[in-house]
Amino acid sequence: MFDRLREDIQSVFDRDPAARTSFEVLTTYPGLHAVMAHRLAHWFWRHNMKWLGRVVSNTARWLTGIEIHPGATIGRRFFIDHGMGVVIGETAVIGDDCTLYHGVTLGGTTWEKGKRHPTLGRDVVVGAGAKVLGPIDIGDGARIGSNAVVVKPVPANATVVGIPGRLVERRSEKDNAHREKLARKMGFDAYGATQDAPDPVANAINCMLDHVHVLETKMSRMCEVLKSMGYTDEEVDLPELTSCEIVSTAEELHKLGGEDEARKEGDG
């Protein structure tokens, strides 16, 4: 029992830089209190003292703002950061070393008996406000972004963002090279997603740019064939696409501002 408590306290130090002392963690962290209460409630639940389990669970909910059904199965070193508004359903299973942030729901999608809630593997992180719904499996090491709504299984070490949740895929260097070349040609840069957290919206734009690239190549070949057959037509000047970039952070704004200043100095 005390070994598990020491593990839980150490897991707070490992994942929360604001933690200072073990006494502070033990007395002021609602996530730790909720996990401690759940262990007692779960013991009552497994030993067929379900009413007592619900009483302990409801008391912990009132004190911490975290609702964990006593029937849920939780592994070692489980950490709930901040915690307010977290809901974990009866048949949820959480592996070792998982982390949940405030507003997370591990919920069900049916009123029927049986397995209704998600199963999280080891080392899963679920961001603030995310909803993981239904009897789905979340693989080891998966990351679920804040406010994502996940209703389908997630493979190991994958990252899911958005509503509904979509897997974030990394592109190969070859794909990036030809897309950057096309972007420079068009005067438009849609590849603002970082390698750490690719943007699914930017990925969709990338796919459209790929399609435009193929169409442009085919149209150029068709025009060449028509000209070789003697067809002539007036040259049409297409409107120039001004350079633009998807900017999402103050750092990127500062970077763009610095580039503009350097460009002006170079022109001067």
Side-chain angles (χ1 to χ4, degrees):
M1 175 181 175
F2 290 105
D3 289 341
R4 294 288 291 271
L5 181 58
R6 278 194 290 267
E7 277 188 351
D8 292 335
I9 293 174
Q10 185 58 46
S11 70
V12 175
F13 285 107
D14 293 340
R15 302 176 223 177
D16 185 3
R20 294 181 297 178
T21 66
S22 297
F23 181 76
E24 179 187 56
V25 170
L26 186 61
T27 56
T28 66
Y29 273 64
L32 179 62
H33 301 158
V35 172
M36 293 168 60
H38 171 73
R39 296 234 167 88
L40 177 60
H42 189 62
W43 188 88
F44 284 135
W45 189 266
R46 288 190 298 107
H47 290 80
N48 207 30
M49 292 181 278
K50 299 190 184 305
W51 182 83
L52 281 175
R54 292 305 298 263
V55 169
V56 173
S57 173
N58 200 50
T59 302
R61 174 181 178 272
W62 181 65
L63 293 173
T64 66
I66 299 169
E67 181 175 344
I68 307 177
H69 194 284
T73 302
I74 296 178
R76 303 172 77 96
R77 298 174 296 278
F78 175 52
F79 177 48
I80 304 175
D81 199 359
H82 300 292
M84 182 62 69
V86 168
V87 177
I88 300 175
E90 177 187 4
T91 61
V93 178
I94 300 175
D96 297 339
D97 302 301
C98 290
T99 304
L100 269 58
Y101 289 85
H102 53 282
V104 168
T105 298
L106 304 183
T109 56
T110 179
W111 291 345
E112 297 181 1
K113 300 288 186 180
K115 177 66 171 170
R116 312 185 300 281
H117 301 92
T119 297
L120 274 58
R122 296 173 57 92
D123 192 32
V124 174
V125 177
V126 184
K131 315 300 177 189
V132 186
L133 307 175
I136 59 176
D137 292 330
I138 309 299
D140 295 347
R143 299 293 183 265
I144 297 175
S146 297
N147 296 316
V149 178
V150 182
V151 294
K152 294 181 180 179
V154 177
N157 301 312
T159 299
V160 177
V161 297
I163 304 175
R166 294 182 175 87
L167 290 176
V168 174
E169 297 179 354
R170 298 178 184 273
R171 293 289 179 180
S172 68
E173 293 297 328
K174 182 179 179 180
D175 290 339
N176 288 338
H178 101 266
R179 282 177 171 163
E180 289 173 2
K181 181 179 179 180
L182 177 60
R184 287 193 297 269
K185 181 178 181 180
M186 295 176 64
F188 173 70
D189 184 8
Y191 316 111
T194 65
Q195 292 183 353
D196 294 333
D199 186 349
V201 176
N203 183 59
I205 296 174
N206 292 342
C207 293
M208 289 189 289
L209 287 175
D210 287 343
H211 190 69
V212 170
H213 175 66
V214 174
L215 290 177
E216 183 184 34
T217 302
K218 289 185 176 181
M219 288 295 295
S220 298
R221 291 174 181 172
M222 289 174 61
C223 290
E224 291 174 359
V225 171
L226 289 173
K227 288 180 180 179
S228 67
M229 296 173 62
Y231 175 78
T232 58
D233 192 8
E234 296 182 0
E235 294 290 337
V236 178
D237 294 329
L238 296 176
E240 182 181 357
L241 293 174
T242 58
S243 179
C244 61
E245 185 171 355
I246 300 173
V247 179
S248 59
T249 66
E251 183 178 352
E252 289 172 332
L253 284 171
H254 179 72
K255 179 181 177 181
L256 287 177
E259 291 177 353
D260 292 338
E261 290 296 330
R263 191 179 298 111
K264 289 178 182 178
E265 292 178 1
D267 294 339

